[in-house]
Amino acid sequence: MTSENENAFLWPVRIYYEDTDSGGVVYYANYLKYMERARTEWLRAEGFEQDELIAKNNVIFVVRSVQVDYLLPARFNDEIIVSTKRVKKGKASITVEQVVKRNSDVLCVATIKIACLTADNFKPAVMPADIYNKV
Amino acid sequence: MTSENENAFLWPVRIYYEDTDSGGVVYYANYLKYMERARTEWLRAEGFEQDELIAKNNVIFVVRSVQVDYLLPARFNDEIIVSTKRVKKGKASITVEQVVKRNSDVLCVATIKIACLTADNFKPAVMPADIYNKV
Amino acid sequence: MTSENENAFLWPVRIYYEDTDSGGVVYYANYLKYMERARTEWLRAEGFEQDELIAKNNVIFVVRSVQVDYLLPARFNDEIIVSTKRVKKGKASITVEQVVKRNSDVLCVATIKIACLTADNFKPAVMPADIYNKV
Amino acid sequence: MTSENENAFLWPVRIYYEDTDSGGVVYYANYLKYMERARTEWLRAEGFEQDELIAKNNVIFVVRSVQVDYLLPARFNDEIIVSTKRVKKGKASITVEQVVKRNSDVLCVATIKIACLTADNFKPAVMPADIYNKV
């Protein structure tokens, strides 16, 4: 995926039956899944595979906090786009803004703080330099 | 479930394999599922069934925003408790605080804003008086 | 849970929004979650915790095959009962029949074969004797 | 996706954290999600959108039975391919074989029977002729 605007990574997601609920719309927790898929693909696009980060660097990224505003619902068969943009960076954590859109409609907007931990015992860890420099 | 402290409704949740991920802990989106289960049971304990609210009152509750802080992870087989407490109330929306604990450990803390909509076309709706008075 | 008929272990499951899809019924894959919850509780009722089996005995149970017939749909707010009954037993595997009911309605019927593996490298393992004798 | 062999439709699926469990592998129920994604895309590739089938033809496809053999586990970050091939066809139902592979490894094999129902009241329905002729 190419970026739409400066610094935003875009990832498309198709909505299937598994994503919806009996209200006829996407279940609210599922947007967090799409956002994680998008962050995974963003790291992959930057050259980082999370399974290798665990195996080689003993680091894992975990979500510390999420703030999500739900504006409009997605529905079965919709094709939505999740954008990911880093808005803050520390030695051991980063904060991203993620926006879910369907065409020009903004469906939800999230701010997500991610911490870098040691993979074996979940202690705060300094991000590997090559990741720190790229994200 | 009886309340632990004033105004808090408590609901237990057992963690199964379906809830965890390969990091060995509960996947972050799943806490939103537990919180919705707890809100559903809280409404039920107050005498309201959401399927009847749709059928008889043409109203549905939807989540407008979530703010979640993840402090400690839950793991397979854990028994956790989700508390739900109303912290704000308007004619067409309420805000609840939900805390997930394992024994005395606080695993995550959320503030969730819920709007009342018409069930057939998702327009803002005034909450039925009997619900408004109870929640 | 007490047993309804000879050898069947019963476990209740409430249907929440997370379980349903936009067809208005429970999504077909989710019945496999309820069946696993029921098997986990069946083992627990027999005195076995799967996390301890991994840590102490280095064994894990995995599903080898499922055959499910879907007869009637469950819906939001339904309370269903999952029964679990062992129908076949070998040194390294067991087969259970699991039936999901809502009151007297049979919603789905499954035959599930489970293998015992070493937890660290997923090789076939003989079931610990105390489990073999109980299940 | 082009077909690999005669009549098989191929659909790729990436494994994310949401798909795995604390056993380190993909949770067994999730393969049914991938199979439904693949069937949805297969219908789409043949020119049929399921939301239009509901709205215009009042028909919906539901799963009547599944038989799945789990042979090898998928893991985080794997890219798997789901193939879909019709093996039986009736006026009101079809049966497909779906195979999940990672490169040349066969991970699981399923036979899935799907019925055509009226969307409004879930009664058996004859498949629309244009679908019947294509699938």
Side-chain angles (χ1 to χ4, degrees), chain D residues 9-131:
Chain D
F9 173 82
L10 305 185
W11 188 252
V13 171
R14 174 71 78 166
I15 303 303
Y16 297 105
Y17 272 123
E18 66 185 83
D19 299 298
T20 59
D21 69 22
S22 61
V25 298
V26 168
Y27 184 66
Y28 83 129
N30 291 339
Y31 293 94
L32 294 187
K33 295 185 178 181
Y34 314 148
M35 291 175 191
E36 173 145 67
R37 292 180 202 174
R39 295 194 303 271
T40 294
E41 297 297 341
W42 170 57
L43 284 177
R44 195 186 330 273
E46 294 292 347
F48 304 107
E49 295 289 342
Q50 288 175 91
D51 46 359
E52 294 177 4
L53 290 173
I54 293 173
K56 295 183 188 164
N57 300 68
N58 188 33
V59 295
I60 193 169
F61 288 102
V62 303
V63 172
R64 272 296 177 229
S65 68
V66 303
Q67 157 67 42
V68 188
D69 288 308
Y70 297 93
L71 306 174
L72 285 172
R75 293 171 192 277
F76 175 69
N77 250 352
D78 281 352
E79 183 129 44
I80 61 178
I81 304 280
V82 184
S83 70
T84 303
K85 186 179 178 172
R86 194 259 298 156
V87 291
K88 210 169 157 185
K89 183 161 76 166
K91 292 288 181 205
S93 72
I94 56 171
T95 301
V96 293
E97 185 184 80
Q98 299 196 279
V99 179
V100 180
K101 295 174 86 171
R102 182 185 48 220
N103 302 319
S104 60
D105 287 338
V106 176
L107 307 187
C108 63
V109 177
T111 302
I112 298 188
K113 184 174 177 183
I114 297 146
C116 186
L117 302 183
T118 54
D120 53 359
N121 61 7
F122 278 38
K123 301 287 176 196
V126 169
M127 229 179 291
D130 51 349
I131 297 188

Side-chain angles (χ1 to χ4, degrees), chain B residues 116-131:
Chain B
C116 186
L117 302 182
T118 55
D120 53 357
N121 61 8
F122 279 38
K123 301 287 176 195
V126 170
M127 230 179 291
D130 51 349
I131 296 188

Side-chain angles (χ1 to χ4, degrees), chain A residues 4-5 10-13 15 31 34-35 71-74 78-83 98-109:
Chain A
E4 180 184 49
N5 49 26
L10 305 185
W11 188 252
V13 171
I15 304 302
Y31 294 94
Y34 314 147
M35 291 174 190
L71 306 174
L72 286 172
D78 282 352
E79 182 127 45
I80 60 178
I81 303 282
V82 184
S83 71
Q98 298 195 280
V99 178
V100 179
K101 296 175 85 171
R102 183 186 48 220
N103 302 318
S104 61
D105 287 337
V106 176
L107 307 187
C108 64
V109 178

